Amino acid sequence: MLSRVADSVFWMARYLERSDNVLRLLRTDYIASQDELLDYNWQLLCDQFGDPEHRAKVAKYRDALHYLVVSREHDYSVFNNIVRVRENARSVQDYITKELWQSLNDFYHRIRDPQTEKFISSQDPVTAFDLLLRESIIFYGTVDVTMNRGEGYTFLNLGKYIERCLMCLDILEFKRMQMAKAEQEGIHWKYLLYALSGYEFHTKYYKNALQVEEVIHQVLFNMQFPHSAAYALAQTGRYFQRLSAVSKPEYFDEINELIKQINLSVEEYQHQNPLVIIEKLIPDLRAKLLYLNKRLGSLYFGYL
């Protein structure tokens, strides 16, 4: 597979996964703000997931939702991410299925639909979130049932799981920042699990009242939870192994070693008190993942 094609497929998956995570977080936090968190800090959310070089000032929650979801000017908005997904998909149409192209096209038209912006700006935002998340679920289902298991599928999954791990760390860090400014800490842990679609899993797996150590364990280390950092890293390693036969040995060995080192770091952290090590763990893992992404770009996508 050409490096240009691999790069487009990889980033198509990253942008889609990023959009999916942001939409789930916004849906959860909007509902939380309406139900329980009366002093919800939307500026904090925009600072964390907005453009770090051009921070937006938001006066109310409608401004924040518009900025993060449908703004054309905000480079990191869901709208611009989906536009990039479609542009990448268009450039690799020969390497993805017609069904996948159609599902991405539908997602693109959904985010461009004036009704979506109307829901976000002046009506019920949850309806817009549900419609957009439905397109996201259709994308993942279409990948699973129509894509052949070749290199395109491998790079799609590499992008998806690297981005999922980064978003897991970002959302966990954001929730900790929220808690530092709030009085009801327990509620934020519960909504962290909701944002990662993990609250039901937590009640069935841990079978206890919500405890901070167990929430952190689930989000970072639980291998049965599909949105945990450990699960995403394990899947990254698993899919990368598929490239062994088509890679230059020195390239494969370097990336394989980086993935092993990150997984070893997670195992070491797992044996320590999560409340003590979490401030070190999040930036440490993020830095290692970003370096992995950089080397992957240099060796497999031809970045200089």
Side-chain angles (χ1 to χ4, degrees), residues 268-281:
E268 290 172 4
Y269 281 124
Q270 189 170 359
H271 298 301
Q272 302 175 50
N273 185 331
L275 296 177
V276 174
I277 52 89
I278 192 167
E279 288 189 11
K280 177 185 175 187
L281 181 153

Side-chain angles (χ1 to χ4, degrees), residues 1 4 9 13-14 21 23 38 64 79 130 145 160 166 173 193 224 233 248 251 253 265 268 270 281 284 291 300:
M1 173 173 276
R4 175 188 61 79
V9 172
R14 283 201 61 176
N21 278 262
L23 287 169
L38 299 179
F79 177 89
D130 288 344
V145 300
K160 168 183 164 183
L166 284 167
E173 184 178 55
L193 293 177
Q224 294 185 37
L233 285 170
K248 290 184 178 179
Y251 291 180
D253 290 344
S265 297
E268 290 172 4
Q270 189 170 359
L281 181 153
D284 181 35
Y291 183 68
Y300 282 84

Side-chain angles (χ1 to χ4, degrees), residues 124-149:
D124 176 23
V126 175
T127 301
F129 292 138
D130 288 344
L131 290 171
L132 293 169
L133 285 169
R134 185 178 178 186
E135 299 294 344
S136 178
I137 290 169
I138 291 173
F139 165 81
Y140 288 122
T142 306
V143 168
D144 280 345
V145 300
T146 68
M147 282 286 290
N148 70 64
R149 270 43 180 172

